[in-house]
Amino acid sequence: MCQPDKLAMRAPSRRDVPFHRWFLGLCVASIFSLVYIVTPPYIISALAALAFQYPSTKASVIYACPLIFSVLTKATAAPRFAWLLSPMLDYFDYEEAFEIGNDEFRKDAKIGKRYMVVFQPHGVISFVGLCAWVSSPDDFRQIKTAVASAVLKTPILKNVMGIFGLTDASAR
């Protein structure tokens, strides 16, 4: 059980965040939300354009190129871009609580001790899990955030969200 006096906390105050940094965080987070919302209608319209060759064969192939490219490629984690996503931490009301420190966690990992790291709230896309990935030390970014399997299988969505090195949350 968590002992309040043993928890390490990091809680940025919204009052300390300049508006431009908060707004940049909003824009960064909105990119992922927008991709999540726009991808299904785009896939349907691209497939329809290809099937009916509308408005022309060449135009429908050009329109469907992002879909075709996404289907042919696999998602690739990109931890080197985490610093670009750091404004998300200023946008969300984000805090972390730890029962153990980073050094103890590393030491336990070397001897094979396993941990389950839980983020709340969570959903199809866990922004709090993504914030934890962004704020974590480089060597901790190999710890994957679990997401719904549909996120990892849907073209375009798998590539955009794949930069976080996600894993399937379904029971195996």
Side-chain angles (χ1 to χ4, degrees), residues 33 49 70 85 92 102 107 112 137 164 169:
S33 297
S70 180
L85 305 175
F92 290 109
N102 291 346
K107 184 181 75 168
F164 296 102

Side-chain angles (χ1 to χ4, degrees), residues 54 57 107:
Y54 180 80
T57 302
K107 184 181 75 168

Side-chain angles (χ1 to χ4, degrees), residues 27-50:
C27 293
V28 170
S30 295
I31 290 169
F32 297 105
S33 297
L34 185 63
V35 168
Y36 185 73
I37 292 167
V38 170
T39 296
Y42 167 72
I43 290 172
I44 292 168
S45 65
L47 291 175
L50 285 173

Side-chain angles (χ1 to χ4, degrees), residues 10 12 25 85-94 130-132 134-135:
R10 180 182 83 84
L85 305 175
S86 65
M88 274 195 325
L89 303 176
D90 296 326
Y91 172 68
F92 290 109
D93 188 13
Y94 178 71
L130 302 182
C131 285
V134 168
S135 71

Side-chain angles (χ1 to χ4, degrees), residues 52-129:
F52 298 112
Q53 298 178 356
Y54 180 80
S56 68
T57 302
K58 184 178 178 180
S60 64
V61 170
I62 291 170
Y63 179 65
C65 273
L67 177 63
I68 295 165
F69 179 76
S70 180
V71 167
L72 298 176
T73 60
K74 65 179 192 169
T76 305
R80 65 190 171 277
F81 294 122
W83 67 275
L84 291 171
L85 305 175
S86 65
M88 274 195 325
L89 303 176
D90 296 326
Y91 172 68
F92 290 109
D93 188 13
Y94 178 71
E95 71 179 15
E96 296 176 346
F98 305 94
E99 289 187 30
I100 63 172
N102 291 346
D103 293 333
E104 186 178 348
F105 188 81
R106 286 182 183 100
K107 184 181 75 168
D108 288 348
K110 284 183 182 175
I111 61 171
K113 190 169 182 180
R114 296 174 62 143
Y115 285 94
M116 178 181 284
V117 182
V118 181
F119 305 109
Q120 184 67 20
H122 57 274
V124 176
I125 297 173
S126 170
F127 276 107
V128 77

Side-chain angles (χ1 to χ4, degrees), residues 127-159:
F127 276 107
V128 77
L130 302 182
C131 285
W133 183 86
V134 168
S135 71
S136 67
D138 290 339
D139 59 331
F140 284 13
R141 291 201 182 106
Q142 61 187 314
I143 300 171
K144 298 177 181 274
T145 296
V147 296
S149 59
V151 173
L152 299 174
K153 294 177 182 169
T154 304
I156 299 170
L157 195 57
K158 72 174 182 176
N159 298 100

